[in-house]
């Protein structure tokens, strides 16, 4: 039976009132999904806020690694996802590719005990666990600089996975040397060795886009996410995480124009005037946009019928070490 969006919203609201479930949604979700969530935020914020929530079920509207993070930090909770969509960046590295990266450093004269791994939260639980076992930790785009600063105090080489752009941008901010595995460079001379992963959405923003907006609107501000190419970030007025971008943009004077380099759905709901998407194309994350109202309704309906679907499970060993990697970050 085909239901309209209004009918779906009505049924979703009825089921939410009936069930012990909290609906959470990432900033990049479709508007109609984002608007019905009980908790909204970026990936780590959602995982942390659900830790304090007492509902039996967490219905997570986002991508797979985010649901895993909730399960890792709150193993007693039942975590379900309307769509277990897989972040393209997170898919670029698995435990085998991670092991290959460590071997690359060892083959280039860096002993394993002299490597300190840091994984961006945009990675699956198995990679987080590998990092945890090696004494490393997780970071987010907002705290990466602080995490790396602390890590450098151990005097080790930092293996940063999976996002090369975030690793390079933080290195540039801190005046450090970086290199990307597979590209030219000697890892022994680099402070941060980056895995060659990236966000396909944030690769859409270019220096030509910045030049276009600066010419069209003299005085415009350019605000970008650190998953963008380092050259784009270097040419921006402000670089920050999702939450930092929201704060920066919403606090600008109303007449100040700003072009924003991050996912379309979030930019589109920031403020009604003088806010532009820094791209000639629509930078919409395909996996974040997989979740629909119908998916949310069917997932709630399955809980109500006693047969939950798309439930997230993490094996005990992976859960243990991934949690340690996350907790090392939270301790800072």
């Amino acid at each position: 039976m085909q239901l309209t969006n209004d009918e779906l919203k009505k049924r979703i609201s009825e089921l939410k009132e009936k069930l012990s479930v909290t609906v959470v949604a990432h900033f990049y979700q479709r508007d109609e999904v984002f608007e019905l969530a009980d908790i909204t935020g970026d990936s780590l914020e959602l995982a942390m806020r659900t830790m304090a929530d007492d509902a039996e079920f967490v219905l997570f509207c986002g991508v797979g690694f985010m649901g895993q993070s909730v399960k890792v930090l709150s193993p007693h909770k039942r975590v379900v996802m309307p769509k277990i969509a897989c972040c393209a960046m997170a898919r670029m590295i698995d435990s085998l590719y991670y092991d290959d990266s460590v071997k690359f450093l060892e083959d280039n004269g860096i002993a394993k005990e002299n490597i300190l791994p840091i994984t961006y939260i945009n990675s699956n639980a198995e990679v987080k666990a590998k990092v945890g076992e090696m004494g490393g930790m997780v970071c987010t785009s907002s705290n990466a600089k602080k995490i790396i600063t602390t890590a450098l105090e151990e005097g080790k080489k930092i293996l940063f996975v999976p996002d090369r752009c975030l690793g390079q941008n933080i290195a540039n901010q801190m005046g450090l040397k970086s290199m990307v595995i597979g590209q030219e460079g000697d890892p022994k001379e680099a402070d941060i060795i980056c895995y060659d992963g990236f966000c396909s959405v944030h690769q859409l923003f270019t220096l030509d886009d910045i030049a276009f907006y600066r010419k069209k609107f003299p005085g415009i501000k350019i605000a970008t996410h650190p998953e963008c190419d380092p050259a784009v970030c270097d040419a921006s007025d402000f670089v920050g995480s999702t939450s930092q971008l929201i704060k920066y943009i919403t606090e600008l004077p109303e007449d100040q124009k700003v072009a924003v380099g991050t996912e379309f759905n979030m930019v589109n709901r920031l403020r009604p005037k003088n806010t532009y998407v820094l791209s000639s194309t629509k930078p919409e994350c395909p996996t974040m946009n997989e979740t629909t109202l119908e998916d949310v309704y069917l997932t709630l309906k399955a809980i109500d019928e006693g047969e939950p679907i798309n439930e997230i499970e993490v094996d005990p060993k992976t859960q243990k070490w991934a949690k340690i990697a996350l907790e090392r970050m939270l301790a800072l």
Side-chain angles (χ1 to χ4, degrees), residues 118-169:
I118 296 174
T119 182
Y120 189 25
I121 197 166
N122 294 33
S123 57
N124 65 43
E126 288 76 18
V127 171
K128 290 183 176 74
K130 287 273 187 177
V131 167
E133 284 189 273
M134 275 186 65
M137 65 191 93
V138 179
C139 78
T140 68
S141 52
S142 60
N143 67 23
K145 184 175 180 180
K146 182 174 184 178
I147 297 296
I148 288 173
T149 299
T150 302
L152 286 170
E153 293 173 359
E154 296 194 26
K156 297 182 178 182
K157 294 289 185 184
I158 292 177
L159 171 61
F160 191 89
V161 302
D163 184 18
R164 66 168 189 254
C165 293
L166 179 58
Q168 288 176 299
N169 281 318

Side-chain angles (χ1 to χ4, degrees), residues 1-16:
M1 181 171 60
Q2 294 296 314
L3 300 174
T4 66
N5 277 3
D6 286 342
E7 290 170 330
L8 285 168
K9 288 177 183 178
K10 182 175 183 293
R11 295 195 182 194
I12 288 169
S13 295
E14 290 170 350
L15 286 168
K16 283 176 63 182

Side-chain angles (χ1 to χ4, degrees), residues 10 12 22 28 53-54 57-58 73 108 131 133 138 144 174 199 210 217 220 243 249 254 281 286 300 317 324:
K10 182 175 183 293
I12 288 169
T22 298
Y28 294 173
D53 184 78
D54 59 4
F57 283 90
V58 174
L73 288 172
N108 280 272
V131 167
E133 284 189 273
V138 179
M174 298 177 66
C199 170
I210 294 177
F217 301 117
I220 193 171
S243 297
I249 293 160
E254 189 176 340
T281 59
L300 288 168
K317 182 181 178 182
I324 287 172

Side-chain angles (χ1 to χ4, degrees), residues 87-330:
C87 165
M89 182 197 296
R91 287 190 66 179
M92 291 179 187
I93 189 167
D94 58 18
S95 58
L96 293 177
Y97 281 128
Y98 175 82
D99 289 341
D100 287 344
S101 300
V102 173
K103 186 176 185 301
F104 167 81
L105 298 188
E106 291 180 300
D107 290 344
N108 280 272
I110 302 173
K112 188 172 182 178
E113 58 267 23
N114 292 325
I115 301 169
L116 184 62
I118 296 174
T119 182
Y120 189 25
I121 197 166
N122 294 33
S123 57
N124 65 43
E126 288 76 18
V127 171
K128 290 183 176 74
K130 287 273 187 177
V131 167
E133 284 189 273
M134 275 186 65
M137 65 191 93
V138 179
C139 78
T140 68
S141 52
S142 60
N143 67 23
K145 184 175 180 180
K146 182 174 184 178
I147 297 296
I148 288 173
T149 299
T150 302
L152 286 170
E153 293 173 359
E154 296 194 26
K156 297 182 178 182
K157 294 289 185 184
I158 292 177
L159 171 61
F160 191 89
V161 302
D163 184 18
R164 66 168 189 254
C165 293
L166 179 58
Q168 288 176 299
N169 281 318
I170 297 301
N172 290 345
Q173 289 178 26
M174 298 177 66
L176 301 173
K177 292 182 179 179
S178 66
M179 69 156 288
V180 178
I181 294 174
Q183 298 183 15
E184 187 176 347
D186 182 353
K188 292 193 295 295
E189 295 180 359
D191 301 298
I192 302 175
I193 300 98
C194 303
Y195 183 80
D196 194 11
F198 57 88
C199 170
S200 56
V201 174
H202 287 99
Q203 295 305 296
L204 294 174
F205 308 109
T206 68
L207 290 175
D208 287 343
D209 294 324
I210 294 177
F212 169 83
Y213 274 106
R214 292 210 188 278
K215 182 177 180 180
K216 185 175 180 66
F217 301 117
I220 193 171
K221 298 291 186 184
I222 306 296
T224 54
H225 193 283
E227 291 178 17
C228 295
D229 185 89
V232 170
C233 289
D234 288 345
S236 301
D237 299 295
F238 180 83
V239 179
S241 67
T242 301
S243 297
Q244 290 167 342
L245 284 170
I246 291 171
K247 184 175 187 298
Y248 172 78
I249 293 160
T250 54
E251 290 180 355
L252 288 172
E254 189 176 340
D255 60 350
Q256 173 64 59
K257 290 180 170 58
V258 60
V260 189
T262 194
E263 210 275 344
F264 171 81
N265 283 325
M266 192 196 84
V267 178
N268 196 45
R269 68 172 75 98
L270 279 174
R271 60 178 193 164
K273 294 181 180 179
N274 292 324
T275 305
Y276 305 88
V277 178
L278 183 68
S279 179
S280 56
T281 59
K282 189 177 182 180
E284 194 170 55
C285 178
T287 50
M288 281 288 192
N289 280 269
E290 284 185 27
T291 302
T292 65
L293 283 177
E294 183 178 13
D295 295 325
V296 175
Y297 166 63
L298 291 174
T299 308
L300 288 168
K301 185 169 179 284
I303 294 173
D304 187 41
E305 293 171 349
E307 298 182 355
I309 58 174
N310 296 342
E311 187 162 1
I312 301 298
E313 299 289 352
V314 180
D315 70 82
K317 182 181 178 182
T318 299
Q319 193 275 336
K320 170 190 171 182
W321 286 108
K323 187 175 183 181
I324 287 172
L326 282 160
E327 287 178 338
R328 285 182 182 136
M329 171 186 67
L330 297 177

